[in-house]
Amino acid sequence: MDDAEGPGALSDLCLAQVCRSLDALCSRRADDSMCLIWAPLFPQEMADQLLHKMATKGILNDITVGIFRNSEELRLRRASIRFCSVSAEAFRLALCSHRLQELDASWVSGGLTGANIVSSLASNPECRSSLQRLTLCGLHLDWESLGDDEHAGFSSLRGLRTLNLANTDLKDAVLEDICTLPQLESLDISCSGVTQLTALLICKNTLKSFTAYQLRQLDMSPARLLSVLSQLHALRHLDFSDDHLSVDDSDGRDGDETVRQLLEGSPQVLPSLVSLDISGRKRVMEAALRAFVQARSGLVFLGLLATGASSCDVLSSQKNLKVTGEANENQLCEALRRYRDRECFIREALVNLYNRITDIDKPRPDMLKLVLSGMQSHPNSLHVHLVATACVFNLTTQDLAEAMPVSLISCTATQLLHSMKTFPSHQQVQKNCLLALCSEYILQDVPFDKYLAATLVINWLSSHADPTLQRMAVAVISILVAKLSTEETAQLAKDVFIMKQLLAIVQQKAMVGVVDSTLKFALSALWNLTDEMPTAARNFIECQGLELYEEVLESYYTEPSIQQKVLGLLHASIMTWTQVEREMVSYRSFSPFFRLLQTCQPSGVQLWAVWAIHLVCSQNTSHYRSMLEQEGVTELLKALDAHPDTHSDIKVLANSILQMVEQHQSHTGLLHKHIEP
């Protein structure tokens, strides 16, 4: 089954339900951590999936991770707590009793350090031999805290085959300890503080994959560095790429020279290499690259993004060779796929991709997925989102979105909303998102958070007056409001700011007598927003909406399309509104209603005014009775009741108000009579 369409797997749905029901399924220990009240023997893979689901949903913490202290029923083997907030003590109690084979604790917060993790894992004799893969990206190692405990270092985890310490404070001494691991096959020390790589010679017969992206503190001559690398006899995958956008070019010069010497050197250097990544490196000559590729028929991957060499003719002749670069769409997609965690490369790939898809006419869901992946991996990068949102628009414009899986377009819309929310002040990002969302298909048929979308677009509208963008924004709002549930519409209607924004657009157009789609969309949005919504009606009145609509009716008396939308808002639905029990609004005077109650006014205007007066009088007759009489409102109501052209609904409400006044007068008079001396 295509994972982009169709229902989710039953196991995934069940795990999601468990996550939602943890409070009901668990009791609390003395330290407030959770413990399952009744725990069946979970299938082993299911325990891993539950932990992963809790982590990705953002609910894994010191309290909830407590359920995994039960290592008999919940047996973890492949544990992931990426980006979670877990303390050292909670980690030790919940995870270190398991016979783990893999652990990913990248970017964990809560004070958990690399030293905490390694020493805790080493305290379990089973883990020392069972753990094969450990990923600690982005952690503070705090290795000094271990002191001289030789049993708590990386080398105590004798089963380790794969170790990822990218973006850590790894130092040379710890690297030496790591390289004594007897089965070490894959090592990633990217963006670390390592200055020397000589320690790699300790594991030269086992190390198959070495990743050293952006080692800016490396202090080795090109000749010495190449000498070390050339002695890694088992090495098949080498990543020596660099951040090409770095401010200081001098930091990477020795690395660039090392790459030049590697490419131009003897075919006997690293003869078993099948993968080489030198993206971002300068001084990559096509002639040297051609010779290097031709001498290594087993190559399956070359990283050449931002090197200027990805157009080399030899690359196209290698059928099994995958390349990251800018020469074609395949190279760019490969870059987006491989460099998900490297912002500088994602930016580079997106910029080049945008230039290639400005006139795309075929749906590319594969490409859209890669763009979204880059946005999700760098949620706070303005540079990434600026280009990515433009790419999203090109990939979903016109009929392209309709030819893709609905679930993919739904994810796309959600990601656009995240961009709008994250960068509210950046006009171009907001514009790109608005352009992409302004699709009738997406707005009408694709499921996403339309309430959030409406609020974000309205907020954006308040600070932008560009006519084209204003038209799109109002069109989006008009459609979105019509798609909201009754509860969401009621929630939106509580915000007076929203009403003011839409009325301001109507007023802006009415002042110059313009009849355009922006005015029509704004009127439609107001109609949908106030339909059967007393709160919205109150806000509409308090924002002088009635007076404005009176002006609109007078200004556009020859425009049936405008009159229909104005009077539509004031239609018959008012009579269907439920009577509000508590007092929602109070008036110091009824004077704003005088003009609206004239017999010459349109029925819709009259109905609004009479309904509003009826609402407050029914809630507090004693307060408004004298105001009605003193300000002459009762006479206006009587005139409406007597006029032959007054709508029957208006007469019903006017009569009801007059009866309330009379009944209150009678009751008050009778009360006074009873208390006379």
Side-chain angles (χ1 to χ4, degrees):
M1 179 185 292
D2 183 356
D3 61 0
E5 287 296 336
L10 180 59
S11 60
D12 195 55
L13 296 173
C14 291
L15 290 174
Q17 181 60 37
V18 171
C19 290
R20 287 191 292 268
S21 309
L22 276 181
D23 283 326
L25 296 172
C26 295
S27 59
R28 298 292 183 105
R29 299 185 181 91
D31 63 358
D32 204 33
S33 64
M34 284 185 171
C35 175
L36 286 172
I37 297 171
W38 175 77
L41 180 61
F42 268 55
Q44 192 281 305
E45 295 84 356
M46 196 69 73
D48 292 342
Q49 292 171 22
L50 177 59
L51 178 69
H52 181 71
K53 177 70 73 173
M54 292 170 64
T56 54
K57 284 186 171 293
I59 63 172
L60 191 71
N61 51 47
D62 281 6
I63 294 174
T64 58
V65 78
I67 68 172
F68 293 97
R69 293 187 193 177
N70 183 350
S71 57
E72 297 297 323
E73 279 72 30
L74 294 171
R75 299 162 297 160
L76 295 173
R77 294 294 180 267
R78 295 172 176 82
S80 175
I81 57 174
R82 286 175 67 93
F83 294 104
C84 298
S85 179
V86 178
S87 68
E89 182 69 1
F91 171 81
R92 183 183 66 81
L93 292 172
L95 299 184
C96 292
S97 61
H98 296 266
R99 197 171 187 274
L100 295 177
Q101 295 174 358
E102 299 179 7
L103 172 65
D104 185 349
S106 300
W107 307 101
V108 169
S109 57
L112 186 62
T113 67
N116 296 146
I117 291 173
V118 173
S119 61
S120 297
L121 292 172
S123 68
N124 179 353
E126 288 193 323
C127 263
R128 291 186 187 182
S129 59
S130 67
L131 192 68
Q132 299 179 27
R133 181 186 295 269
L134 180 60
T135 305
L136 304 179
C137 299
L139 287 193
H140 174 43
L141 295 183
D142 191 28
W143 215 247
E144 294 77 13
S145 65
L146 293 178
D148 298 326
D149 187 356
E150 61 181 18
H151 299 295
F154 282 106
S155 57
S156 64
L157 303 174
R158 308 300 286 174
L160 268 185
R161 294 176 180 271
T162 300
L163 179 60
N164 189 338
L165 297 175
N167 294 285
T168 66
D169 52 341
L170 177 67
K171 297 294 191 292
D172 295 346
V174 182
L175 179 60
E176 286 190 28
D177 176 62
I178 290 169
C179 289
T180 64
L181 287 165
Q183 302 182 71
L184 186 64
E185 296 178 350
S186 178
L187 178 63
D188 188 340
I189 60 170
S190 300
C191 304
S192 68
V194 169
T195 65
Q196 297 288 321
L197 297 181
T198 309
L200 295 178
L201 296 177
I202 303 172
C203 57
K204 64 181 181 180
N205 294 322
T206 62
L207 193 64
K208 297 178 180 178
S209 176
F210 180 53
T211 302
Y213 162 69
Q214 198 178 346
L215 287 186
R216 284 306 169 91
Q217 295 185 44
L218 196 62
D219 186 19
M220 297 178 72
S221 68
R224 178 57 182 153
L225 182 54
L226 190 60
S227 172
V228 170
L229 293 176
S230 65
Q231 295 180 64
L232 303 180
H233 304 308
L235 198 66
R236 295 171 60 81
H237 307 275
L238 174 61
D239 183 343
F240 202 60
S241 54
D242 193 38
D243 181 356
H244 67 295
L245 297 175
S246 174
V247 176
D248 189 354
D249 270 353
S250 62
D251 286 346
R253 284 179 183 171
D254 285 347
D256 293 342
E257 177 60 20
T258 302
V259 168
R260 187 191 68 78
Q261 292 184 18
L262 173 63
L263 294 177
E264 296 179 356
S266 167
Q268 300 306 312
V269 176
L270 300 177
S272 301
L273 211 62
V274 298
S275 168
L276 175 65
D277 197 335
I278 53 174
S279 289
R281 290 294 178 184
K282 301 172 179 64
R283 303 177 67 185
V284 177
M285 301 291 106
E286 287 195 8
L289 181 64
R290 185 180 298 107
F292 183 86
V293 171
Q294 290 173 340
R296 291 169 175 79
S297 58
L299 274 178
V300 295
F301 171 71
L302 265 178
L304 297 173
L305 185 70
T307 61
S310 62
S311 298
C312 184
D313 54 4
V314 73
L315 301 177
S316 58
S317 64
Q318 308 293 316
K319 293 182 179 179
N320 297 323
L321 183 63
K322 291 186 176 181
V323 179
T324 59
E326 313 88 4
N328 52 56
E329 289 181 2
N330 288 338
Q331 290 186 2
L332 291 170
C333 287
E334 191 66 27
L336 289 173
R337 189 177 296 111
R338 286 182 179 261
Y339 300 138
R340 179 173 176 175
D341 296 326
R342 301 182 184 180
E343 181 185 349
C344 67
F345 291 163
I346 290 293
R347 288 168 57 183
E348 182 75 15
L350 287 172
V351 168
N352 284 276
L353 182 67
Y354 173 76
N355 292 329
R356 286 185 172 273
I357 60 173
T358 51
D359 298 316
I360 192 168
D361 57 359
K362 293 181 180 179
R364 290 292 305 269
D366 58 325
M367 197 176 283
L368 180 58
K369 286 180 184 178
L370 291 171
V371 173
L372 295 180
S373 176
M375 296 171 76
Q376 291 160 358
S377 297
H378 304 280
N380 299 311
S381 170
L382 173 60
H383 297 291
V384 168
H385 284 252
L386 179 60
V387 187
T389 51
C391 289
V392 167
F393 170 68
N394 284 343
L395 290 167
T396 59
T397 190
Q398 298 177 0
D399 299 329
L400 295 177
E402 297 182 48
M404 298 190 203
V406 174
S407 58
L408 176 59
I409 302 302
S410 178
C411 290
T412 302
T414 300
Q415 187 59 54
L416 290 171
L417 296 184
H418 171 81
S419 299
M420 293 185 74
K421 193 174 182 180
T422 306
F423 308 103
S425 304
H426 197 280
Q427 182 167 346
Q428 191 60 49
V429 171
Q430 297 287 319
K431 179 180 179 180
N432 292 347
C433 293
L434 195 59
L435 284 166
L437 286 172
C438 195
S439 155
E440 187 169 357
Y441 166 69
I442 292 177
L443 296 174
Q444 294 280 12
D445 300 330
V446 176
F448 63 95
D449 191 341
K450 294 181 170 64
Y451 175 80
L452 174 61
T455 56
L456 289 173
V457 176
I458 289 169
N459 287 332
W460 178 88
L461 190 61
S462 65
S463 56
H464 296 83
D466 180 273
T468 303
L469 295 179
Q470 186 186 71
R471 177 186 60 78
M472 286 194 300
V474 176
V476 169
I477 294 167
S478 176
I479 296 173
L480 288 174
V481 170
K483 302 294 288 185
L484 299 180
S485 67
T486 302
E487 294 76 17
E488 289 173 330
T489 305
Q491 185 66 28
L492 200 65
K494 291 179 182 178
D495 193 343
V496 178
F497 172 79
I498 293 172
M499 190 68 69
K500 287 181 177 178
Q501 290 302 312
L502 293 172
L503 287 172
I505 292 172
V506 173
Q507 186 173 38
Q508 173 190 342
K509 298 295 181 180
M511 287 177 64
V512 291
V514 171
V515 179
D516 61 10
S517 57
T518 303
L519 174 60
K520 293 178 181 179
F521 280 130
L523 292 172
S524 294
L526 285 164
W527 185 351
N528 288 323
L529 194 61
T530 55
D531 190 22
E532 301 187 22
M533 289 293 156
T535 304
R538 178 195 65 187
N539 290 341
F540 182 86
I541 292 172
E542 290 184 344
C543 294
Q544 284 75 52
L546 290 176
E547 292 88 337
L548 174 60
Y549 268 39
E550 181 184 2
E551 295 175 12
V552 171
L553 286 170
E554 292 175 353
S555 302
Y556 295 96
Y557 67 92
T558 61
E559 295 290 341
S561 62
I562 300 298
Q563 289 189 326
Q564 180 185 10
K565 293 184 182 296
V566 172
L567 295 176
L569 181 147
L570 311 169
H571 64 26
S573 70
I574 294 174
M575 301 303 295
T576 69
W577 289 352
T578 303
Q579 181 67 33
V580 182
E581 294 181 0
R582 59 187 180 86
E583 192 168 359
M584 293 175 57
V585 65
S586 61
Y587 297 115
R588 290 187 292 272
S589 170
F590 284 125
S591 57
F593 294 93
F594 292 172
R595 284 194 305 160
L596 310 179
L597 294 172
Q598 301 299 319
T599 56
C600 60
Q601 290 284 10
S603 297
V605 174
Q606 295 170 343
L607 185 58
W608 259 101
V610 175
W611 177 87
I613 295 171
H614 183 273
L615 174 67
V616 295
C617 287
S618 62
Q619 293 170 337
N620 195 347
T621 308
S622 60
H623 176 72
Y624 292 107
R625 179 188 62 81
S626 58
M627 190 187 299
L628 287 167
E629 293 182 333
Q630 292 171 6
E631 295 186 351
V633 178
T634 54
E635 297 304 316
L636 291 172
L637 293 173
K638 290 176 181 178
L640 277 176
D641 183 45
H643 199 279
D645 295 333
T646 300
H647 193 280
S648 59
D649 288 339
I650 300 172
K651 290 189 175 186
V652 169
L653 286 176
N655 269 312
S656 178
I657 297 170
L658 293 171
Q659 287 174 10
M660 280 189 280
V661 172
E662 291 174 4
Q663 289 172 359
H664 190 271
Q665 284 177 331
S666 301
H667 176 73
T668 304
L670 185 61
L671 181 62
H672 286 166
K673 183 176 182 181
H674 280 301
I675 62 175
E676 284 179 356

